[in-house]
């Protein structure tokens, strides 16, 4: 016990010293800069830290009461601390156990009343929740230990609670709650939105979901998200850290001025449209903050309510509306590449095991058409019965949803779900990871009854069952670019590697950022249709990484990645000789069933 | 100020996947029902006026039965106030259509009438000029931008005269203006408007059928087809692949002009240098 106490005391001392050092450093820097405003701001923040977040010494504001109560609480804590420390060193105080318990209970009720009083007055019940939790925790501790230990630990909790609530470490408390309320569902699932609700999306702090506000409170400002964000690394103005910090700042201002603060003013258009929704920030956040949800809420408001968003995407959205695909090539032009294949059209009567879902890119983009053709041949080689939707297939709606155009997404997705459910489809094989992710996670809200698997999953399963014979070697130095929506979001990077392992002759090198830490090609989140603003392109950063490995062949598993990266490699002054191939193509080549593509 | 925008529902043909020669290989699936994009450009101009002028009403006017209701409502959601339908039979020619529209415009007491330069399907571009003739109003074609000072004051319009030329025209009100694409980007309809307009009723205008015979009739329409290609017999001294290339290209003579390659920055430099050399642009050095 004594060791524990020494440990805790040391910890508290270090924390306090760090806090004072940081604040005094800020203070001295402000003086050195000689800026009145800055000094004022720092002073205010110091005062706010001492008196309470978002509060100043203002009598009319109830600040005086807050201060008095705070001081009383402080005196009580100190007294209790003294009691505890004396009690630990002399067994004499053990005799006053009943008295001590009463003290603990009285103190607890005082603190509950205090927090209720203050927090409800501030109109923000959520701040109160963690403090409640702490008290309950402290109370439960009384019955497990001797009361001195209980007092000691409880006072430690108080100590931190007061410190947290006072604003020194606001994130500390909120982060615990945030971790508790972390997104336990799949990472690729987007928050659904009812189109009849009002407001749509978010323009002010109070229109954000409570989780996003809590995210702001929880943020430790550590910058891991920013260090992994392809947009930040490629010199865009977007930084996930700044987005969350701006939400936090606007929340504080809202609490202080009791009018909801605008997020549109704080977060520029340039920032929200630079995001490629690769989920690197979400994956790398130690506190499980959902940065992308904030960006998506802002996008939804811009698109659905204001109609104020980059005009270069209008064409894509209009194509989705009119033709049901992102290229605007029209539904009757689907399956043009497959006229010689005699694929089985799905009908209500025949129910094959799988439905092969191609998606817009494999339908219309030549190099992806080859991939689709190869996937068909692999399934035929393995003698797996499958059917296709043919011309009734539509876009999955992923670009519209990630752009925030929920109306178009829901129309398309509902049509797809109704059609597939009516046909009684059991399992869908998707070739594009974006279709895969959207259909697997987002369609469930719309009542989808089918399962969705990615093509690489199916090939992996066929390898396990020994139904494919990889005989032709690919004697090339090969590297692998993991698509975000396969590796990071759906954790399927293993499937792709398994296929590469099986193919003979491959000299495989990993890229420095691989698997779940992969780097976005810059095509997701409707970035494919948005212009990349100043700085390096995301694809050029990844392209350099691929070139540095000195490989002749780069494997991918998404139609977007080769489009983005190939353009980057071949568009420059010195075109590089790197070939991009989908793992499906590689597998088909090795099996010996590929088409001449 | 009352603005009437005439819009047309068209069948946009995007592909030829049929097998039947008589229908030019076009099947029903190759069409999509939408609103003529030129008319959407006209609507955007009208809404631009509505943004700048108080008490402006934008009324949509269309002929015939409902075939693209979803897209019509989308137009309404862009910011128009009312939608009116003139019920007629099918297969009217431009003259009769314009007579009906002109009568409707008179009924609606419009100060300014917008229409598209032409439609995407038939593309005759007759409606605007004919309406102007019937109503005896001034007409400006191929407008890309408009500035309205107020009711009764003349308007200033910027029009595209083709070949890159632009003209600014002043015109008294009431007037008929036909818009072309390439000016403003049509706005995106908001969800709130979409929700309101999904149930909005379409007013039906009773307009008498045209009694006079058409003075202008299109006798025959030739479908668009590629220019006939003169095939030069392949030069047998060439390599087979070159011969195929020659057949595909029509000749083995290199086409004039040069392909700009390299990085985007370098390409821009080359294009700028070319434009300066040919005196399309003032010399860049003088400016800086």
């Amino acid at each position: 016990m004594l060791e524990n106490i020494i440990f805790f005391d040391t910890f508290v001392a270090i924390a306090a010293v760090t806090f004072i050092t940081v604040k005094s450093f800020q203070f001295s820097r402000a003086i050195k800069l000689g800026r009145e405003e800055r000094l004022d701001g720092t002073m205010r923040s110091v005062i706010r830290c001492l008196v309470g977040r978002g509060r100043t010494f203002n009598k009319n504001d109830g600040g005086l009461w807050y201060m008095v109560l705070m001081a009383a609480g402080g005196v009580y804590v100190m007294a209790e601390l003294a009691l505890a420390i004396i009690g630990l060193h002399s067994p004499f105080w053990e005799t006053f156990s009943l008295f001590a318990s009463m003290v603990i209970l009285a103190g607890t009720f005082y603190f509950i009343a205090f927090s209720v009083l203050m927090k409800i007055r501030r109109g923000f019940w959520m701040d109160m929740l963690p403090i409640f939790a702490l008290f309950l925790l402290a109370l439960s501790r009384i019955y497990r230990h001797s009361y001195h230990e209980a007092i000691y630990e409880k006072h430690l909790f108080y100590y931190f609670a007061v410190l947290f609530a006072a604003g020194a470490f606001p994130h500390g408390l909120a982060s615990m709650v945030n971790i508790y309320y972390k997104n336990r569902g799949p990472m690729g699932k987007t928050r659904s939105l009812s189109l009849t609700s009002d407001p749509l999306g978010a323009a002010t702090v109070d229109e954000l979901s409570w989780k996003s506000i809590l995210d702001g409170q929880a943020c430790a400002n550590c910058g891991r998200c920013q260090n992994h964000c392809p947009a930040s690394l490629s010199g865009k103005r977007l930084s996930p850290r700044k987005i969350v910090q701006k939400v936090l700042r606007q929340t504080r201002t809202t609490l202080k001025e009791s009018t909801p603060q605008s997020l549109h003013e704080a977060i520029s258009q340039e920032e929200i449209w630079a995001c490629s929704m690769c989920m690197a920030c979400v994956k790398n956040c130690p506190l499980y903050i959902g940065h992308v949800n904030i960006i998506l809420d802002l996008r939804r408001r811009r698109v659905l309510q204001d109609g104020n968003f980059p005009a270069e995407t209008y064409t894509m959205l209009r194509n989705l509306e009119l033709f049901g695909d992102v290229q605007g090539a029209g539904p009757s032009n689907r399956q043009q590449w497959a006229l010689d294949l005699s694929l089985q059209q799905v009908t209500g009567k025949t129910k094959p095991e799988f439905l092969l879902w191609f998606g817009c890119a494999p339908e219309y983009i030549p190099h992806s058409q080859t991939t689709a053709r190869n996937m068909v041949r692999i399934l035929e080689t393995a003698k797996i019965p499958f059917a296709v939707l043919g011309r009734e297939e539509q876009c999955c709606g992923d670009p519209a949803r990630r752009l925030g155009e929920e109306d178009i997404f829901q129309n398309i997705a509902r049509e797809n779900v109704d059609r597939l459910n009516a046909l009684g489809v059991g399992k869908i094989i998707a070739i594009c990871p974006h279709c895969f992710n959207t259909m697997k996670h987002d369609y469930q809200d719309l009542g989808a009854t089918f399962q969705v698997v990615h093509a690489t999953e199916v090939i992996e399963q066929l390898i396990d069952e020994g139904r494919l014979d990889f005989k032709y070697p690919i004697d090339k130095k090969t590297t692998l670019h993991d698509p975000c929506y396969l590796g990071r979001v759906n954790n399927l990077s293993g499937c792709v590697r398994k296929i590469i392992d099986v193919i003979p002759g491959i000299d495989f090198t990993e890229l420095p950022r691989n698997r779940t830490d992969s780097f976005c090609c810059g095509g997701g989140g409707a970035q494919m249709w948005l212009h990349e603003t100043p700085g390096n392109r995301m694809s050029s950063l990844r392209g350099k990484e691929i070139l540095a490995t000195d490989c002749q062949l780069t494997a991918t598993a998404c139609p977007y990645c080769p489009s983005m990266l190939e353009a980057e490699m071949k568009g420059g002054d010195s075109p590089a000789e790197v070939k991009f191939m989908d793992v499906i193509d590689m597998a088909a080549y090795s099996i010996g069933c590929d088409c001449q593509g | 100020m009352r603005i009437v925008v005439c819009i047309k529902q068209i069948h946009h043909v995007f592909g030829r996947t049929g097998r039947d020669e008589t229908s030019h290989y076009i099947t029903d699936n190759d069409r999509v029902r939408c609103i003529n994009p030129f008319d959407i450009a006209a609507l955007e101009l009208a809404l631009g006026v509505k943004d700048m002028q108080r008490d402006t009403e934008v009324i949509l006017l269309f002929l015939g039965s409902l075939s693209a209701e979803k897209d019509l409502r989308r137009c309404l959601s862009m910011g128009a106030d009312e939608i009116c339908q003139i019920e007629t039979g099918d297969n009217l020619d431009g003259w009769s259509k314009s007579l009906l529209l002109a009568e409707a415009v008179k009924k609606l007491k419009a100060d300014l009438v917008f229409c598209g330069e032409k439609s995407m399907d038939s593309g005759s571009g007759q409606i605007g000029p004919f309406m102007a003739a019937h109503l005896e109003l001034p007409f400006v074609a191929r407008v890309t931008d408009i500035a309205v000072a107020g009711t009764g004051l003349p308007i200033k319009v910027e029009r595209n005269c083709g070949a890159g030329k632009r003209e600014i025209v002043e015109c008294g009100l009431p007037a008929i203006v036909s818009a072309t694409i390439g000016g403003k980007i049509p706005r995106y309809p908001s969800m709130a408007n979409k929700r309101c307009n999904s149930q909005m009723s379409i007013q039906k205008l009773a307009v008498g059928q045209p009694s006079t015979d058409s003075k202008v009739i299109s006798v025959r329409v030739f479908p668009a087809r590629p220019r006939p290609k003169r095939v030069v017999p392949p030069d047998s001294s060439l390599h087979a692949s070159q011969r195929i290339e020659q057949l595909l290209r029509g000749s083995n003579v290199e086409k004039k002009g040069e392909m700009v390659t390299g990085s985007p920055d370098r390409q821009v430099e080359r294009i700028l240098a070319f434009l300066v050399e040919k005196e399309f642009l003032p010399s860049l050095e003088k400016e800086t």
Side-chain angles (χ1 to χ4, degrees), chain A residues 148-257:
Chain A
H148 288 297
E149 285 168 18
I151 286 178
Y152 190 79
E153 286 188 12
K154 192 173 72 104
H155 114 261
L156 266 179
F157 279 121
Y158 286 164
Y159 206 76
F160 281 106
V162 170
L163 217 57
F164 290 142
F169 307 111
H171 92 89
L173 256 189
S175 62
M176 284 183 233
V177 184
N178 204 43
I179 289 170
Y180 180 75
Y181 285 115
K182 73 177 182 181
N183 176 18
R184 286 166 203 276
M187 192 198 274
K189 190 170 156 68
T190 327
R191 229 152 34 78
S192 55
L193 176 76
S194 162
L195 284 173
T196 49
S197 67
D198 206 36
L200 296 157
T204 53
V205 174
D206 60 339
E207 285 164 1
L208 280 173
S209 76
W210 63 269
K211 178 69 170 65
S212 298
I213 296 172
L214 187 62
D215 281 345
Q217 305 289 316
C219 178
N221 214 350
C222 68
R224 280 186 185 83
C225 47
Q226 191 180 314
N227 292 347
H228 287 87
C229 174
S232 316
L233 289 175
S234 60
K236 313 278 191 311
R237 269 185 68 189
L238 169 70
S239 152
R241 178 184 66 82
K242 279 185 197 158
I243 297 265
V244 178
Q245 284 297 312
K246 279 171 184 170
V247 169
L248 172 65
R249 203 176 64 207
Q250 296 298 75
T251 314
R252 285 184 182 172
T253 324
T254 305
L255 291 175
K256 203 165 91 182
E257 296 181 3

Side-chain angles (χ1 to χ4, degrees), chain B residues 177-237:
Chain B
V177 162
S178 86
T180 191
I181 41 182
K184 288 181 186 171
I185 298 167
R187 63 196 61 194
Y188 204 80
S190 77
M191 196 61 217
N193 280 354
K194 275 189 199 168
R195 273 201 302 238
C196 290
N197 293 329
S198 63
Q199 298 302 325
M200 192 169 180
S201 64
I202 295 172
Q203 286 180 34
K204 283 176 183 162
L205 278 183
V207 175
Q209 295 303 310
S211 52
T212 51
D213 288 335
S214 302
K215 286 180 181 170
V216 179
I217 302 165
S218 71
V219 182
R220 194 176 161 194
V221 180
F222 292 93
R225 60 180 174 207
R227 218 176 282 166
K229 212 176 213 177
R230 207 155 46 96
V231 181
V232 187
D235 184 355
S236 54
S237 66

Side-chain angles (χ1 to χ4, degrees), chain A residues 236-532:
Chain A
K236 313 278 191 311
R237 269 185 68 189
L238 169 70
S239 152
R241 178 184 66 82
K242 279 185 197 158
I243 297 265
V244 178
Q245 284 297 312
K246 279 171 184 170
V247 169
L248 172 65
R249 203 176 64 207
Q250 296 298 75
T251 314
R252 285 184 182 172
T253 324
T254 305
L255 291 175
K256 203 165 91 182
E257 296 181 3
S258 62
T259 47
Q261 297 293 305
S262 165
L263 288 171
H264 279 359
E265 281 167 22
I267 301 169
S268 70
Q269 289 244 40
E270 211 180 297
E271 288 171 70
I272 63 168
W273 299 113
C275 174
S276 69
M277 307 241 160
C278 70
M279 301 281 172
C281 47
V282 178
K283 180 85 189 174
N284 287 296
C285 182
L287 298 172
Y288 302 96
I289 289 171
H291 312 73
V292 171
N293 280 339
I294 300 171
I295 296 176
L296 198 68
D297 268 344
L298 291 165
R299 281 187 177 189
R300 279 174 176 170
R301 167 56 71 92
R302 291 275 188 199
V303 174
L304 293 173
Q305 208 122 320
D306 307 349
N308 178 8
F309 60 104
E312 60 256 28
T313 56
Y314 286 10
T315 326
M316 186 267 285
L317 291 174
R318 188 91 177 114
N319 285 340
L320 271 178
E321 223 175 351
L322 288 178
F323 304 105
D325 68 75
V326 286
Q327 323 282 351
S332 67
N333 281 327
R334 274 181 194 267
Q335 301 282 306
Q336 288 287 319
W337 56 273
L339 287 174
D340 57 335
L341 283 177
S342 68
L343 300 171
Q344 191 200 340
Q345 180 95 16
V346 69
T347 54
K349 290 168 195 166
T350 54
K351 280 184 184 169
E353 192 187 350
F354 290 112
L355 181 115
L356 189 55
W357 179 277
F358 296 105
C360 299
E363 288 279 5
Y364 301 116
I365 299 174
H367 74 90
S368 305
Q369 281 175 355
T370 319
T371 312
R373 195 174 272 271
N374 284 332
M375 189 61 209
V376 168
R377 296 206 182 183
I378 289 173
L379 290 177
E380 279 171 357
T381 313
K383 299 204 174 60
I384 289 194
F386 69 94
V388 297
L389 259 188
R391 290 180 181 174
E392 285 177 19
E393 202 182 295
Q394 268 188 319
C395 178
C396 61
D398 166 80
R401 169 154 253 201
R402 307 267 156 200
L403 201 66
E405 187 23 308
E406 200 67 10
D407 186 29
I408 291 178
F409 167 76
Q410 288 188 11
N411 285 339
I412 286 184
R414 205 154 273 146
E415 273 176 39
N416 282 336
V417 169
D418 289 349
R419 187 172 293 145
L420 292 168
N421 281 350
L423 287 168
V425 174
K427 251 185 190 179
I428 291 177
I429 307 174
I431 289 180
C432 171
H434 293 264
C435 297
F436 165 65
N437 180 67
T438 308
M439 296 177 79
K440 188 173 179 185
H441 303 313
D442 292 352
Y443 279 20
Q444 278 177 1
D445 294 343
L446 301 164
T449 54
F450 44 81
Q451 271 188 311
V452 188
V453 288
H454 189 251
T456 51
E457 272 182 280
V458 176
I459 297 176
E460 192 206 20
Q461 202 190 336
L462 294 176
I463 292 169
D464 288 342
E465 290 169 11
R467 292 169 83 164
L468 293 174
D469 180 18
F470 292 83
K471 47 195 169 195
Y472 299 101
I474 299 177
D475 294 314
K476 274 184 180 159
K477 207 176 164 201
T478 308
T479 185
L480 173 66
H481 166 75
D482 281 287
C484 308
Y485 276 82
L486 207 60
R488 178 163 35 240
V489 177
N490 288 302
N491 247 329
L492 288 177
S493 46
C495 298
V496 188
R497 278 178 180 73
K498 182 143 194 178
I499 298 169
I500 288 176
D501 278 349
V502 174
I503 299 172
I506 285 185
D507 174 14
F508 184 61
T509 324
E510 284 278 12
L511 285 175
R513 284 180 274 203
N514 57 43
R515 288 170 194 263
T516 53
D517 291 329
S518 181
F519 194 74
C520 182
C521 67
Q527 278 297 317
M528 193 86 160
W529 293 272
L530 285 161
H531 294 168
E532 280 203 62

